[in-house]
Amino acid sequence: QQQVKQSPQSLIVQKGGISIINCAYENTAFDYFPWYQQFPGKGPALLIAIRPDVSEKKEGRFTISFNKSAKQFSLHIMDSQPGDSATYFCAASKGNQFYFGTGTSLTVIP
Amino acid sequence: GAVVSQHPSWVICKSGTSVKIECRSLDFQATTMFWYRQFPKQSLMLMATSNEGSKATYEQGVEKDKFLINHASLTLSTLTVTSAHPEDSSFYICSAPTSGNWNTQYFGPGTRLTVL
């Protein structure tokens, strides 16, 4: 059973636009929700993370929105840039149990 | 942030040979490390949890005799792909949580294995 569902699978956005990636989870015991950014041939890098006691977290152009009742969270990339083109993974965890979404390939076109 | 390195970054080997991949935590101690496998354009698949000083815990469907894991020190875990075959070709990534904070996982840069 897929613990974390992620959509869309791929996304194309114009430079300056807003990129939105969505994730939904099943287990209400999860207490940490990170987003990772991965460039081709590289390992994932932690981008931003949120805990379920807050509904939003913003770091620069990246914002996580969290809806605990709906068991959903999303990543918003404002003013998307070509350098943001990468694969993004959401994840949900409890202790050392990590579950990754299936990934979203983002392409930002100039 | 904490740094995790992997060596080699890529390796090509002949079918039937064994390949060892190292994962090191450079500026922190990691009693636990995780090994993932990633196929092109797919998500990370957890293979096993490597525990310092004890046996690794393998995920269902992962052959422990084929993917040997040794976590001999607090900063080094190794994954050995034994008798590699072309279907073992993949991107292998390790990660480690910082001590006392399981939620913060730091990933290595990955190792691309190609078995001819």
Side-chain angles (χ1 to χ4, degrees), chain A residues 32 38 43-44 51 93 96 100-101, chain B residues 38 43 102-103 105 107-109:
Chain A
Y32 184 72
Q38 185 181 28
R51 294 192 184 278
S93 76
N96 65 346
F100 286 91
Chain B
Q38 186 178 34
S43 188
W102 287 103
N103 286 335
Q105 293 270 351
F107 286 84

Side-chain angles (χ1 to χ4, degrees), chain A residues 92-107:
Chain A
S93 76
K94 173 68 177 178
N96 65 346
Q97 296 294 314
F98 251 72
Y99 298 92
F100 286 91
T102 49
T104 296
S105 176
L106 171 65
T107 303

Side-chain angles (χ1 to χ4, degrees), chain B residues 9-110:
Chain B
S9 55
W10 60 270
V11 56
I12 302 173
C13 69
K14 292 182 179 180
S15 186
T17 60
S18 294
V19 174
K20 180 185 283 188
I21 303 170
E22 293 185 349
C23 177
R24 292 180 186 274
S25 56
L26 297 186
D27 51 358
F28 67 100
Q29 293 183 334
T31 56
T32 298
M33 290 183 176
F34 300 95
W35 285 96
Y36 295 86
R37 184 174 181 175
Q38 186 178 34
F39 291 104
K41 299 188 184 299
Q42 292 192 24
S43 188
L44 294 87
M45 235 180 46
L46 179 65
M47 298 175 65
T49 303
S50 170
N51 302 298
E52 188 268 335
S54 65
K55 291 183 179 180
T57 304
Y58 290 82
E59 295 299 303
Q60 192 173 9
V62 178
E63 299 176 61
K64 59 182 180 182
D65 294 330
K66 180 166 187 61
F67 298 99
L68 300 179
I69 291 173
N70 184 21
H71 195 146
S73 78
L74 288 172
T75 59
L76 173 65
S77 174
T78 60
L79 168 68
T80 301
V81 183
T82 62
S83 186
H85 287 92
E87 58 265 29
D88 299 324
S89 299
S90 191
F91 194 53
Y92 292 88
I93 307 173
C94 68
S95 75
T98 52
S99 178
N101 187 357
W102 287 103
N103 286 335
T104 306
Q105 293 270 351
Y106 292 94
F107 286 84

Side-chain angles (χ1 to χ4, degrees), chain A residues 15-38:
Chain A
K15 179 183 175 182
I18 302 174
S19 304
I20 301 174
I21 305 171
N22 301 299
C23 283
Y25 62 96
E26 293 293 326
N27 191 343
T28 56
F30 291 140
D31 59 5
Y32 184 72
F33 301 88
W35 284 89
Y36 289 87
Q37 180 187 56
Q38 185 181 28

Side-chain angles (χ1 to χ4, degrees), chain A residues 13-91:
Chain A
V13 173
Q14 289 272 3
K15 179 183 175 182
I18 302 174
S19 304
I20 301 174
I21 305 171
N22 301 299
C23 283
Y25 62 96
E26 293 293 326
N27 191 343
T28 56
F30 291 140
D31 59 5
Y32 184 72
F33 301 88
W35 284 89
Y36 289 87
Q37 180 187 56
Q38 185 181 28
F39 293 104
K42 304 293 184 184
L46 180 63
L47 191 62
I48 186 173
I50 197 168
R51 294 192 184 278
D53 53 346
V54 297
S55 60
E56 185 176 283
K57 183 173 182 180
K58 183 175 181 179
E59 289 183 2
R61 296 186 293 110
F62 301 92
T63 300
I64 299 179
S65 296
F66 187 84
N67 186 329
K68 188 174 181 178
S69 60
K71 295 189 288 185
Q72 296 175 345
F73 58 110
S74 59
L75 175 70
H76 296 235
I77 305 175
M78 312 299 287
D79 187 26
S80 299
Q81 299 296 313
D84 297 330
S85 297
T87 300
Y88 293 81
F89 293 97
C90 64

